[in-house]
C-alpha cells in the first residue's frame, strides 16, 4: 500500500498546472463533441426510420418519429426477419458508455502518467518525448470524436438520408429573398 501511495504521489507531483488546464480544455471540447455526435446519431436513426418506413423526411414526420414512432419497432426487417429498433439502439448506448467511462478516462490517465515521467529530449529539437506522448494521448479523445462526427456526416450523405441539393436550393432562395432580388 505504501508503494502505491508513493507512485501516485510521484505522478501527481510531476504534473504541471499548464497540463491540467490543457486537459480541462480537451475534456470540455470532447464533451461538446460527444453531445454533437450523439445528436447526429439520433438524427440519423430518425431519418433512417422514416426512409425504411416509406415516410418523407419532413419536419413534422421527423418530430413525430423523434417523439413517438422511432422508439418502437419499425416495419423494416433485417436478414434474420427481426424488426429493427431505431432510437432504442443498444449500440448507441453501449458505445457512449464505453467511450465516457473507459476509453477516454484511460487516455487521460496515460497522458498524466507520461507527462510525469522524467524529460526525455528528442535530438535536434527542443521537444521532449514524454511531453509529446502526453499531448498525443490527451488529444486522442478529441480527434476520435471529430472522426466520428465526420463518419456520421458521411453516412447521412452516402445513404441519401437528406437531399442536400434541395436544401441548398432552398437556402439560396432564402438568401435571394432576404437580399431583395428573389
Amino acid at each position: 500500500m505504501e508503494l502505491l501511495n508513493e507512485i501516485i504521489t510521484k505522478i501527481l507531483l510531476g504534473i504541471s498546472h499548464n497540463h491540467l488546464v490543457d486537459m480541462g480544455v480537451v475534456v470540455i471540447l470532447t464533451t461538446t463533441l460527444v453531445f454533437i455526435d450523439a445528436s447526429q446519431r439520433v438524427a440519423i436513426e430518425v431519418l433512417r426510420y422514416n426512409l425504411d418506413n416509406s415516410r418523407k423526411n419532413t419536419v413534422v414526420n421527423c418530430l413525430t418519429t423523434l417523439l413517438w414512432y422511432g422508439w418502437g419497432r419499425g416495419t423494416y426487417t433485417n436478414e434474420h426477419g427481426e424488426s429493427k429498433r431505431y432510437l432504442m439502439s443498444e449500440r448507441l448506448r453501449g458505445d457512449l458508455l464505453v467511450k465516457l467511462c473507459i476509453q477516454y478516462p484511460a487516455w487521460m490517465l496515460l497522458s498524466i502518467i507520461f507527462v510525469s515521467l522524467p524529460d526525455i529530449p528528442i535530438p535536434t529539437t527542443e521537444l521532449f518525448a514524454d511531453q509529446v506522448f502526453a499531448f498525443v494521448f490527451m488529444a486522442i479523445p478529441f480527434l476520435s470524436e471529430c472522426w466520428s462526427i465526420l463518419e456520421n456526416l458521411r453516412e447521412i450523405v452516402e445513404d441519401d438520408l437528406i437531399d442536400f441539393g434541395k436544401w441548398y436550393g432552398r437556402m439560396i432562395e432564402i438568401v435571394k429573398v432576404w437580399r431583395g432580388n428573389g
Side-chain angles (χ1 to χ4, degrees):
M1 191 66 172
E2 186 66 32
L3 179 64
L4 183 63
N5 285 338
E6 198 173 310
I7 291 172
I8 291 173
T9 304
K10 184 89 165 164
I11 288 173
L12 292 177
L13 290 176
I15 303 170
S16 69
H17 176 71
N18 288 340
H19 189 74
L20 289 176
V21 170
D22 291 344
M23 281 183 59
V25 169
V26 168
V27 166
I28 291 169
L29 291 175
T30 303
T31 303
T32 303
L33 291 180
V34 165
F35 177 75
I36 291 169
D37 182 43
S39 299
Q40 277 184 322
R41 286 297 332 153
V42 168
I44 287 170
E45 294 298 328
V46 166
L47 295 170
R48 187 167 311 287
Y49 176 90
N50 288 339
L51 183 70
D52 289 347
N53 291 286
S54 302
R55 295 169 48 124
K56 288 183 126 186
N57 279 324
T58 63
V59 174
V60 172
N61 282 346
C62 287
L63 282 175
T64 56
T65 299
L66 179 64
L67 297 174
W68 186 256
Y69 296 115
W71 297 96
R73 294 190 183 275
T75 57
Y76 174 80
T77 55
N78 63 12
E79 63 274 357
H80 304 294
E82 302 165 338
S83 61
K84 181 177 178 181
R85 298 205 58 161
Y86 290 84
L87 291 174
M88 294 294 287
S89 172
E90 200 172 307
R91 186 178 138 234
L92 173 66
R93 289 177 284 138
D95 288 350
L96 277 175
L97 181 69
V98 168
K99 274 197 258 188
L100 295 176
C101 296
I102 298 170
Q103 289 177 346
Y104 294 171
W107 287 116
M108 293 300 170
L109 182 62
L110 273 174
S111 175
I112 288 171
I113 290 170
F114 267 79
V115 83
S116 66
L117 292 174
D119 289 342
I120 304 167
I122 298 175
T124 68
T125 67
E126 295 179 15
L127 300 174
F128 295 100
D130 59 318
Q131 293 174 355
V132 170
F133 280 114
F135 177 78
V136 168
F137 291 148
M138 181 176 52
I140 284 175
F142 177 78
L143 295 174
S144 174
E145 283 306 311
C146 288
W147 287 317
S148 180
I149 289 171
L150 289 175
E151 287 173 357
N152 290 340
L153 290 173
R154 187 174 181 182
E155 183 177 344
I156 289 171
V157 171
E158 287 181 354
D159 292 351
D160 289 328
L161 296 176
I162 295 177
D163 185 1
F164 283 104
K166 184 171 76 172
W167 280 95
Y168 179 74
R170 284 185 183 165
M171 292 303 293
I172 295 296
E173 289 176 24
I174 291 171
V175 168
K176 284 182 180 178
V177 168
W178 181 60
R179 286 184 162 174
N181 43 332

